[in-house]
Amino acid sequence: IAEVTGVQTCALPICDDFYTYACGAWDAKATIPDDKTSWLRSWDIPSDRIEMEMKAAMEEDKGIVGTYYKSCMNEEAIQKLGNAPLQPMLKRVDKVKDMKSLTEMLVWMGNRDNGALFGWGVSPDSEHPETRAFYMSPGGMTLPDQSYYLQNDEDMKAHRAIEKDIIEKLLVNAGVDKEQARKDALNCLAIETRTAEITMKREEARSAVGKRIVREDLKKMVPLMHWDTFFEGIGMHDVGLEGGPQLIVRDDKFFDRFNNILTNPNPEYAKLSSLVRSDAAWETAGLEYEPAKADGVFDLADAEVIKSYLRYTLVSSYATYLPPDDFAEVLKPLFTDLYGIKERPVRWKIGRAHV
């Protein structure tokens, strides 16, 4: 009873404002933890208790779970390794030069739960839940939705500027030359903008059930991709074939226009050198949205742009495994800007999430 009455504002007549009567004291006292975007009493209190129980269990475990958790907590070893664990991955990215090598890189990343350009996964079939289907979805955008890329008001440009600066810093800390890191940042913004142009709007996506297709349909949608190589590489050789798992694209219009991302992903590519060598030019570069046209051909310039995005995807995905001051702390201003998060989670919570 005390827990219930403690959140009420009983002095207020119940019929005047029932919500304030029931929750007014709670609203006045409750605060959102600095490492979260929201806090719900009915969920977060038991969730926090379960996290503490998991922490104790992982600390005591003598098996693989405890070993993995303790390796995540070994900040001295993490600091000593620095960005070295990233280097073999970044060298793989450097080998991308055509659609065959890009497909192979996407396979390598996907097999390590690190997708890029488009997402995929296996889930119960929405029409036949007793079976599983292979779902494909649009690639990720760092910013919350299309408006952050396609609108040119000052607020949206400010969000894009923060993302651009963070990408540059992340990649420099990963060992990328500063000039190349700036090029990478502009290329990443360009690719995410191309993604925003062709992705279903958020309100439409909420009710979308996806389109059921076969592999030949996918090949017609995105003829540049080596789809047989892709599915064989991820161990799903029969997806979309007769007798194999159903193939479902959550946003068929995205895949219809996916070539827009692969061909001419950054129309400003030829100007990059001049844009990144001058601090004054760099400050405003890439912030003004302009629609782009695909040229239908994947060439070496397009490969360079996409390699930038692959580098950023790898580095940002593994940021929590790396020295925190050089990676997770660099990302924090983006989460503060977009979601109000003031502090990154304490180390043991990161370890618990990875386990």
Side-chain angles (χ1 to χ4, degrees):
I1 294 176
E3 287 190 7
V4 174
T5 58
V7 302
Q8 293 178 320
T9 306
C10 298
L12 186 75
I14 189 171
C15 293
D16 288 359
D17 184 344
F18 180 75
Y19 176 81
T20 302
Y21 172 86
C23 305
W26 165 254
D27 279 349
K29 297 176 183 177
T31 58
I32 299 174
D34 287 345
D35 65 343
K36 294 185 177 183
T37 59
S38 61
W39 198 83
L40 183 66
R41 180 184 178 89
S42 60
W43 174 263
D44 285 283
I45 288 179
S47 179
D48 289 347
R49 184 179 65 250
I50 292 169
E51 277 196 334
M52 293 303 296
E53 292 172 355
M54 290 178 66
K55 177 176 181 285
M58 290 185 294
E59 289 174 342
E60 296 172 6
D61 185 75
K62 305 299 182 184
I64 190 171
V65 171
T67 301
Y68 188 85
Y69 174 74
K70 291 178 180 66
S71 71
C72 183
M73 295 300 294
N74 189 349
E75 293 193 71
E76 182 179 348
I78 292 170
Q79 286 293 142
K80 186 176 180 180
L81 285 169
N83 64 26
L86 291 171
Q87 303 315 310
M89 305 180 200
L90 297 179
K91 287 180 180 178
R92 279 184 174 269
V93 173
D94 290 339
K95 295 178 181 178
V96 172
K97 62 181 184 301
D98 51 29
M99 284 306 305
K100 182 178 182 295
S101 54
L102 173 59
T103 301
E104 291 169 349
M105 187 66 201
L106 294 178
V107 166
W108 186 87
M109 292 174 68
N111 284 336
R112 287 153 182 81
D113 196 25
N114 199 330
L117 299 178
F118 58 88
W120 59 269
V122 177
S123 296
D125 189 321
S126 56
E127 293 186 10
H128 306 283
E130 71 279 5
T131 64
R132 292 183 175 270
F134 188 92
Y135 286 86
M136 299 182 68
S137 56
M141 295 177 287
T142 301
L143 304 179
D145 62 39
Q146 293 97 324
S147 62
Y148 284 76
Y149 297 94
L150 307 183
Q151 293 180 9
N152 277 328
D153 59 77
E154 293 306 312
D155 285 345
M156 294 307 183
K157 288 182 183 179
H159 293 308
R160 297 198 283 268
I162 290 172
E163 181 188 359
K164 181 181 72 170
D165 289 343
I166 285 172
I167 294 173
E168 179 209 1
K169 291 174 184 175
L170 272 182
L171 293 176
V172 167
N173 290 349
V176 178
D177 171 80
K178 183 173 182 177
E179 185 174 312
Q180 182 60 52
R182 285 186 168 187
K183 291 180 180 179
D184 286 348
L186 293 175
N187 286 334
C188 288
L189 270 182
I191 285 184
E192 293 188 359
T193 300
R194 302 290 80 78
T195 300
E197 287 175 332
I198 65 175
T199 299
M200 186 183 297
K201 291 182 179 179
R202 181 187 290 182
E203 53 270 23
E204 296 173 355
R206 291 193 189 104
S207 58
V209 295
K211 182 177 181 180
R212 309 170 80 82
I213 64 173
V214 297
R215 191 179 300 184
E216 285 303 313
D217 296 327
L218 185 61
K219 290 180 179 179
K220 291 175 183 177
M221 288 176 168
V222 194
L224 289 173
M225 278 288 295
H226 293 233
W227 289 115
D228 292 338
T229 300
F230 176 79
F231 286 113
E232 188 74 31
I234 63 172
M236 303 285 288
H237 66 277
D238 56 349
V239 165
L241 302 180
E242 186 175 357
Q246 176 64 58
L247 176 58
I248 302 175
V249 289
R250 295 192 184 274
D251 184 349
D252 57 301
K253 292 181 180 178
F254 170 84
F255 288 97
D256 275 333
R257 295 174 287 179
F258 187 65
N259 278 1
N260 292 18
I261 295 176
L262 298 176
T263 62
N264 197 29
N266 186 0
E268 300 293 304
Y269 178 77
K271 303 178 184 176
L272 287 185
S273 293
S274 61
L275 293 174
V276 302
R277 288 172 182 164
S278 161
D279 288 341
W282 161 253
E283 187 174 344
T284 58
L287 303 183
E288 185 81 15
Y289 167 65
E290 294 181 10
K293 292 182 179 180
D295 59 20
V297 178
F298 183 83
D299 55 28
L300 286 175
D302 300 327
E304 289 300 318
V305 176
I306 289 176
K307 282 157 63 174
S308 296
Y309 186 71
L310 298 179
R311 278 190 283 268
Y312 168 53
T313 300
L314 284 169
V315 174
S316 60
S317 297
Y318 290 113
T320 55
Y321 296 87
L322 299 162
D325 288 345
D326 292 336
F327 294 94
E329 194 67 20
V330 171
L331 281 167
K332 191 176 76 174
L334 183 66
F335 296 116
T336 301
D337 173 56
L338 298 176
Y339 310 111
I341 294 176
K342 299 175 184 176
E343 297 293 338
R344 51 189 169 87
V346 294
R347 189 73 196 173
W348 72 262
K349 289 187 177 183
I350 296 171
R352 191 274 311 162
H354 288 318
V355 170

